[in-house]
Amino acid sequence: MWLMVIASGAFVAQHSMAPEVGAGRPDGEDEKEIHKFAETVKNSTAVENVQVPGNRPYKPEMNMPVAPISLPSCTKCGKCVTVCPTNAISVADGAVITDIEKCILCMACTHICTEQARIRPLPLQQKTEQMLGALKGVRNKNEVFL
Ligand code: SF4
Ligand code: SF4
């Protein structure tokens, strides 16, 4: 099958690992821009592939052999197991086990844990701060490619 990409949009959302980055996004202003983009695409008569800039491979410095960890306060409720999109987490013999090879660092498991027992390990916290610390409180613009 031959596919053509006629438009692409990069819309800001709250960062999964650093919630202070993009906090509250997308907001009302973003929604207006998203709707405008959708209308433009819907009415487009483009016949060429749109060129989208970016890093390929995507940010190789984030290829760290780490995954979130569970603290002793973990109740083994299994919520993190059910929400993990890559089936990286299992509960066996009374312990939460995470397959680092499968983890894509989406942070769904840390957000779902009502015990605050699922956290980023220290090296990942440090890397996140190093890479994203300067972006806290910055309102980045959405980008569209048409
Ligand atoms: S969601 Fe939290 S408390 Fe429940 S098993 Fe996972 S880490 Fe433990
Ligand atoms: S960060 Fe995402 S992929 Fe990794 S273990 Fe948690 S839910 Fe699974």
Side-chain angles (χ1 to χ4, degrees):
M1 191 194 327
W2 186 75
L3 293 175
M4 188 170 67
V5 179
I6 62 165
S8 180
F11 293 95
V12 177
Q14 182 171 312
H15 201 284
S16 59
M17 282 194 274
E20 307 92 338
V21 177
R25 308 281 300 275
D27 56 18
E29 285 303 307
D30 294 318
E31 284 180 22
K32 284 183 201 164
E33 291 183 36
I34 291 166
H35 283 294
K36 185 178 169 194
F37 173 69
E39 277 299 315
T40 303
V41 174
K42 194 172 75 176
N43 298 321
S44 173
T45 56
V47 291
E48 289 184 5
N49 273 309
V50 67
Q51 297 300 311
V52 181
N55 304 323
R56 299 178 182 84
Y58 178 68
K59 295 185 179 177
E61 62 269 36
M62 280 309 290
N63 288 337
M64 298 176 68
V66 293
I69 55 174
S70 296
L71 297 172
S73 53
C74 166
T75 61
K76 319 294 184 297
C77 70
K79 285 181 194 161
C80 54
V81 177
T82 58
V83 80
C84 178
T86 62
N87 295 318
I89 313 171
S90 57
V91 179
D93 298 327
V96 175
I97 299 161
T98 308
D99 185 339
I100 288 177
E101 296 295 320
K102 287 184 179 175
C103 178
I104 57 171
L105 295 176
C106 71
M107 299 298 130
C109 55
T110 62
H111 291 296
I112 198 75
C113 182
T114 51
E115 306 298 320
Q116 284 77 52
R118 187 86 177 154
I119 65 166
R120 289 172 294 151
L122 189 58
L124 186 55
Q125 290 180 31
Q126 292 170 331
K127 189 74 175 176
T128 306
E129 183 62 30
Q130 178 195 334
M131 292 181 69
L132 300 172
L135 294 175
K136 290 177 185 172
V138 174
R139 185 175 180 86
N140 277 325
K141 290 182 181 174
N142 299 312
E143 290 184 79
V144 297
F145 308 95
L146 298 160

